[in-house]
Coordinates of all heavy atoms in Angstrom, one line a residue:
L261 N 24.5 65.5 22.2 CA 23.9 66.5 21.3 C 22.7 67.1 21.9 O 22.5 68.3 21.9 CB 23.5 65.8 20.0 CG 22.5 66.4 19.0 CD1 23.2 67.4 18.1 CD2 21.8 65.3 18.2
R262 N 21.8 66.3 22.4 CA 20.5 66.8 23.0 C 20.7 67.8 24.1 O 20.1 68.8 24.2 CB 19.7 65.6 23.5 CG 18.4 65.9 24.1 CD 17.5 64.7 24.0 NE 17.6 63.8 25.2 CZ 16.9 63.8 26.2 NH1 15.9 64.7 26.4 NH2 17.0 62.9 27.2
F263 N 21.7 67.5 25.0 CA 21.9 68.4 26.1 C 22.9 69.5 25.9 O 22.9 70.5 26.6 CB 22.3 67.5 27.3 CG 21.2 66.7 27.8 CD1 21.2 65.3 27.7 CD2 20.1 67.3 28.4 CE1 20.1 64.5 28.1 CE2 19.0 66.5 28.8 CZ 19.0 65.1 28.7
N264 N 23.9 69.3 25.0 CA 24.9 70.3 24.8 C 24.9 71.1 23.5 O 25.5 72.2 23.5 CB 26.3 69.6 24.9 CG 26.5 68.9 26.2 OD1 26.4 69.5 27.2 ND2 26.6 67.6 26.1
S265 N 24.2 70.6 22.5 CA 24.3 71.3 21.2 C 23.1 70.9 20.4 O 23.2 70.4 19.2 CB 25.6 70.9 20.5 OG 25.8 71.7 19.4
P266 N 21.9 71.2 20.9 CA 20.7 70.7 20.2 C 20.4 71.3 18.8 O 19.6 70.7 18.0 CB 19.5 71.0 21.2 CG 20.1 72.1 22.0 CD 21.6 71.9 22.1
K267 N 21.1 72.3 18.5 CA 20.9 72.9 17.1 C 21.8 72.3 16.1 O 21.6 72.5 14.9 CB 21.2 74.4 17.2 CG 20.1 75.2 18.0 CD 20.1 76.7 17.6 CE 18.9 77.3 18.3 NZ 19.4 78.4 19.2
S268 N 22.7 71.4 16.5 CA 23.6 70.8 15.5 C 22.8 69.8 14.6 O 21.9 69.1 15.1 CB 24.7 69.9 16.2 OG 25.4 70.7 17.1
K269 N 23.1 69.7 13.4 CA 22.6 68.7 12.5 C 23.4 67.4 12.7 O 24.6 67.5 12.7 CB 22.6 69.1 11.1 CG 21.6 70.3 10.8 CD 21.7 70.7 9.3 CE 20.5 71.6 9.0 NZ 20.5 71.9 7.5
F270 N 22.8 66.3 12.7 CA 23.5 65.0 13.1 C 23.4 64.0 11.9 O 22.3 63.7 11.5 CB 22.9 64.4 14.4 CG 23.6 63.2 14.8 CD1 24.7 63.2 15.6 CD2 23.1 61.9 14.5 CE1 25.4 62.1 16.1 CE2 23.7 60.8 15.0 CZ 24.8 60.8 15.8
Y271 N 24.5 63.5 11.4 CA 24.5 62.5 10.4 C 25.0 61.2 11.0 O 26.1 61.1 11.7 CB 25.5 62.9 9.3 CG 25.7 61.7 8.3 CD1 24.9 61.6 7.2 CD2 26.7 60.8 8.5 CE1 25.0 60.6 6.3 CE2 26.9 59.7 7.6 CZ 26.0 59.6 6.5 OH 26.2 58.6 5.6
Q272 N 24.2 60.1 10.8 CA 24.7 58.8 11.3 C 25.1 57.9 10.2 O 24.3 57.7 9.2 CB 23.5 58.1 12.1 CG 23.7 56.7 12.4 CD 25.0 56.3 13.2 OE1 25.6 57.2 13.8 NE2 25.3 55.1 13.2
A273 N 26.2 57.3 10.3 CA 26.8 56.4 9.3 C 26.1 55.0 9.3 O 26.6 54.1 9.9 CB 28.3 56.2 9.4
S274 N 24.9 55.0 8.8 CA 24.2 53.7 8.7 C 24.7 52.9 7.5 O 25.4 53.4 6.7 CB 22.7 53.9 8.7 OG 22.2 54.4 9.9
S275 N 24.2 51.6 7.4 CA 24.9 50.7 6.5 C 24.0 49.8 5.8 O 23.0 49.3 6.4 CB 26.0 49.9 7.3 OG 26.4 48.8 6.6
S276 N 24.3 49.4 4.6 CA 23.6 48.4 3.8 C 23.6 47.0 4.5 O 22.8 46.1 4.3 CB 24.1 48.2 2.4 OG 25.5 48.0 2.4
E277 N 24.6 46.8 5.4 CA 24.7 45.6 6.2 C 23.4 45.4 7.0 O 23.1 44.3 7.4 CB 26.0 45.6 7.1 CG 26.3 44.4 7.8 CD 26.8 43.2 7.0 OE1 27.2 43.4 5.9 OE2 26.7 42.0 7.5
M278 N 22.7 46.4 7.3 CA 21.4 46.3 8.1 C 20.4 45.5 7.3 O 19.5 44.9 7.9 CB 20.8 47.7 8.3 CG 21.7 48.7 9.1 SD 21.0 50.2 9.6 CE 20.4 50.9 8.1
F279 N 20.5 45.4 6.0 CA 19.5 44.7 5.2 C 19.7 43.2 5.3 O 18.7 42.4 5.3 CB 19.5 45.1 3.7 CG 19.1 46.5 3.4 CD1 20.0 47.4 2.9 CD2 17.9 46.9 3.8 CE1 19.7 48.7 2.6 CE2 17.5 48.3 3.5 CZ 18.4 49.1 3.0
G280 N 20.9 42.7 5.5 CA 21.2 41.3 5.7 C 20.5 40.4 4.7 O 20.9 40.4 3.5
R281 N 19.6 39.6 5.2 CA 19.0 38.6 4.3 C 17.9 39.2 3.3 O 17.3 38.4 2.5 CB 18.3 37.5 5.1 CG 19.2 36.6 5.9 CD 18.4 35.8 6.9 NE 19.1 35.7 8.1 CZ 18.8 36.4 9.2 NH1 17.7 37.2 9.3 NH2 19.6 36.3 10.3
S282 N 17.6 40.4 3.5 CA 16.4 41.0 2.9 C 16.7 41.7 1.5 O 17.6 42.5 1.4 CB 15.9 42.0 3.9 OG 14.7 42.6 3.5
V283 N 15.9 41.2 0.5 CA 16.1 41.8 -0.8 C 14.6 42.0 -1.4 O 13.8 41.1 -1.2 CB 16.8 40.9 -1.8 CG1 17.1 41.7 -3.1 CG2 18.1 40.4 -1.2
D284 N 14.3 43.1 -2.0 CA 13.0 43.3 -2.6 C 12.9 42.4 -3.8 O 13.9 42.0 -4.4 CB 12.8 44.8 -3.0 CG 12.5 45.7 -1.8 OD1 12.5 45.2 -0.7 OD2 12.3 46.9 -2.0
K285 N 11.6 42.2 -4.2 CA 11.4 41.2 -5.3 C 12.1 41.5 -6.6 O 12.5 40.7 -7.3 CB 9.9 41.1 -5.6 CG 9.1 40.2 -4.6 CD 7.8 39.7 -5.2 CE 7.1 38.9 -4.2 NZ 6.0 39.6 -3.5
N286 N 12.3 42.8 -6.8 CA 13.0 43.2 -8.1 C 14.6 43.2 -7.9 O 15.3 43.7 -8.8 CB 12.5 44.5 -8.6 CG 13.0 45.7 -7.8 OD1 13.5 45.5 -6.7 ND2 12.7 46.9 -8.2
G287 N 15.0 42.7 -6.8 CA 16.5 42.5 -6.7 C 17.3 43.7 -6.1 O 18.5 43.6 -6.1
Y288 N 16.6 44.7 -5.6 CA 17.2 45.8 -5.0 C 16.9 45.9 -3.5 O 15.9 45.4 -3.0 CB 16.8 47.1 -5.6 CG 17.3 47.3 -7.0 CD1 16.7 46.8 -8.1 CD2 18.5 48.1 -7.2 CE1 17.2 47.0 -9.4 CE2 19.0 48.3 -8.5 CZ 18.3 47.7 -9.6 OH 18.8 48.0 -10.9
Q289 N 17.7 46.7 -2.8 CA 17.4 47.2 -1.4 C 17.2 48.7 -1.5 O 18.0 49.4 -2.2 CB 18.5 46.8 -0.4 CG 18.6 45.3 -0.1 CD 19.8 44.6 -0.7 OE1 20.5 45.2 -1.6 NE2 20.0 43.4 -0.3
R290 N 16.2 49.2 -0.8 CA 15.9 50.6 -0.8 C 15.5 51.0 0.6 O 15.4 50.2 1.5 CB 14.9 50.9 -1.8 CG 13.7 50.0 -1.8 CD 12.6 50.4 -2.9 NE 13.1 50.3 -4.2 CZ 13.1 49.2 -5.0 NH1 12.8 48.0 -4.5 NH2 13.5 49.2 -6.2
E291 N 15.1 52.3 0.8 CA 14.7 52.8 2.1 C 13.6 52.0 2.8 O 13.5 51.9 4.0 CB 14.3 54.3 2.1 CG 15.4 55.3 1.8 CD 15.8 55.3 0.3 OE1 15.1 54.7 -0.6 OE2 16.7 56.1 -0.1
T292 N 12.7 51.4 2.0 CA 11.5 50.7 2.5 C 11.8 49.2 2.7 O 10.9 48.5 3.3 CB 10.3 50.8 1.5 OG1 10.8 50.5 0.2 CG2 9.8 52.2 1.5
T293 N 12.9 48.7 2.3 CA 13.3 47.3 2.5 C 13.5 47.0 4.0 O 14.1 47.8 4.7 CB 14.6 46.9 1.7 OG1 14.4 47.4 0.4 CG2 14.9 45.4 1.7

Side-chain angles (χ1 to χ4, degrees):
L261 157 88
R262 179 156 87 95
F263 290 109
N264 300 299
S265 188
K267 291 201 175 119
S268 302
K269 292 180 168 188
F270 183 84
Y271 173 88
Q272 167 58 16
S274 288
S275 163
S276 54
E277 186 69 20
M278 301 188 302
F279 294 118
R281 292 169 219 104
S282 184
V283 189
D284 285 359
K285 279 204 183 99
N286 69 351
Y288 286 88
Q289 288 107 348
R290 46 177 65 81
E291 290 82 2
T292 49
T293 307

